[in-house]
Amino acid sequence: MVRAAVLPAVGAPLEITGIDLPEPGPGQVRVRLAAAGVCHSDLSLSDGTMRVPVPAVLGHEGAGTVVSVGEGVTHVSPGAGVILNWAPSCGRCHACSLGEVWLCANALTGAGTVYARRDDGTDLYPGLNVAAFAEETVVPAACALPVPDGVPLTDAALLGCAVLTGYGAVHHSAKVQPGETVAVFGVGGVGLATLQAARIAGASKIVAVDVSPEKESLARRAGATDYLVASENTAREIRGLTDKQGVDVAVECVGRAVTIRTAWDSTRRGGRTTVVGIGGKDQQVTFNALEIFHWGRTLSGCVYGNSDPAKDLPVLAEHVRAGRLDLGALVTERIALDGIPAAFDNMLAGKGGRALVVF
C-alpha cells in the first residue's frame, strides 16, 4: 500500500488515500517518487477539460528512483534515478514514421489500462500514463528515462513536462533565432520555462505578460526584459516596445481564446505565434480572411514542446550543468501530497509558478 492523490470522478475533489500497487510485470518499472510537479494539465484532467478514465491517480511530471523492474527491462535498474515520460512514442504509427514522436497516436494508450486498486478493490487508472501523484508508481518501461548526470533528482521532475514543453516551444516550434523578439503569455511553470528558453536562444527582447502584477520578479529572474499586466491594450503595448512592429514570436501558455488572439495581434507582420496552453472546446478563436492574408502570420499548436524526450533531455541537462537553465527558479512552492488541492486553487487564482510535491 502506498499513499496517492486519487480523482474519484471528474469534477470531484482529490482524495489522499492508500492504494494497492502491484509489483511490476514484464516490461514495467516500479518507481519511488522523489518529486512531482503540479501542472495545469492535471487541473484540466480533474475538471473534465481533458478526458481521463476515472477513478485515476493524476500527476504526469515526476522523477524518482527505480525500486524494481519486470522481465525484459534492461535500460534501467533498481537504484537508478529516472524521469517519467508521460507520452512515450510507439515508433510504429504514422506520426512516429515522420519523426513527429510528440504526436504519436499510441502515446496515451496506457492511460486506459488499470494499473492499481483502491483499498476497497476499486480499479484505478494512471492519469496520463504515469500516476506521479503517489509515493510510488508502476509504469511501462518506455515511461522511465534515466536522469542525466548533474541534475538533482528532485529538480529533474520539472524536466518531464514544464521544461520540455517551454524549451521545445521556443527551440522546436517557434525556432527563435538570436536577436529576435519574443512575448510569453502566462507566467506559470511552463511560462517561466519558456522565458528561460527564450533567453537561452538569444532573444534580444523578452516580454512577459500575465494577469498578476506579483509575478514580475519571477518573470525577470527567468529572463524577461519587460513585464506587462494583461489588459485590452496588451497588443498595443507590445508594439510600443518593439518600434511599433510587434514581436517576432509570441508563445501562449494559457489556453484561452482571448489570450491566443492577443498573442497573434502582438506579433509583427510575418510573425509566429505558438500555442502551448490547453483550452476547452468552448474557447473559440476567430480571424477574418483578409487579416490572415494581410498579416502573413503563422499560428501553430505545440504538443509537449514538439519534443523527443530521449534526445532533448541530454540537451537540457547540459544547460542545467552550465548554469544557463535554473530549474529552481520555476518552483514557487514545495508541498506535500495533501497540498495538491490547494495548489490547484492557486493555479485557478493565477498565483505562483510551479508547485512541486516533494516526497
Side-chain angles (χ1 to χ4, degrees), residues 173-256:
S173 180
K175 294 181 171 62
V176 174
Q177 300 301 306
E180 287 193 312
T181 54
V182 177
V184 177
F185 290 77
V187 184
V190 172
L192 289 169
T194 303
L195 290 168
Q196 291 203 44
R199 172 176 48 74
I200 290 170
S204 60
K205 181 178 286 291
I206 305 171
V207 185
V209 182
D210 198 275
V211 296
S212 172
E214 288 76 23
K215 291 188 180 182
E216 180 171 359
S217 60
L218 285 173
R220 290 190 180 276
R221 179 181 173 188
T225 59
D226 299 88
Y227 188 84
L228 298 175
V229 177
S231 72
E232 61 183 15
N233 297 317
T234 296
R236 183 179 305 138
E237 290 179 286
I238 289 176
R239 288 194 294 273
L241 293 170
T242 53
D243 296 326
K244 300 182 180 180
Q245 297 301 309
V247 290
D248 296 299
V249 171
V251 182
E252 199 273 357
C253 303
V254 181
R256 296 183 62 228

Side-chain angles (χ1 to χ4, degrees), residues 1 20 45 48 63 65 72 99 132 136 142 151 154 160 178 207 214 216 232 252 257 281 302 306 313 327 336 350:
M1 297 288 290
D20 184 9
L45 291 168
T65 302
E136 295 187 13
V151 180
T154 299
V207 185
E214 288 76 23
E216 180 171 359
E232 61 183 15
E252 199 273 357
K281 294 179 180 179
C302 180
N306 293 7
L313 287 176
L327 298 177

Side-chain angles (χ1 to χ4, degrees), residues 31-39 42 58-66 80-87 127-137 139 143-148 151-164 304 309 313 354-359:
V31 178
R32 180 179 300 113
L33 273 296
V38 183
C39 179
D42 297 309
L58 302 183
H60 63 280
E61 182 184 87
T65 302
V66 175
V82 292
I83 295 169
L84 298 182
N85 174 17
W86 62 269
L128 292 185
N129 282 327
V130 297
F133 288 166
E135 294 170 329
E136 295 187 13
T137 188
V139 300
C143 291
L145 300 177
V147 174
V151 180
L153 188 57
T154 299
D155 290 347
L158 301 164
L159 296 177
C161 183
V163 179
L164 275 172
Y304 203 8
L313 287 176
R354 195 50 123 222
L356 189 65
V357 181
V358 179
F359 294 91

Side-chain angles (χ1 to χ4, degrees), residues 325-340:
L325 179 58
D326 182 0
L327 298 177
L330 276 62
V331 180
T332 53
E333 187 179 20
R334 295 176 186 268
I335 60 175
L337 197 61
D338 57 8
I340 296 173

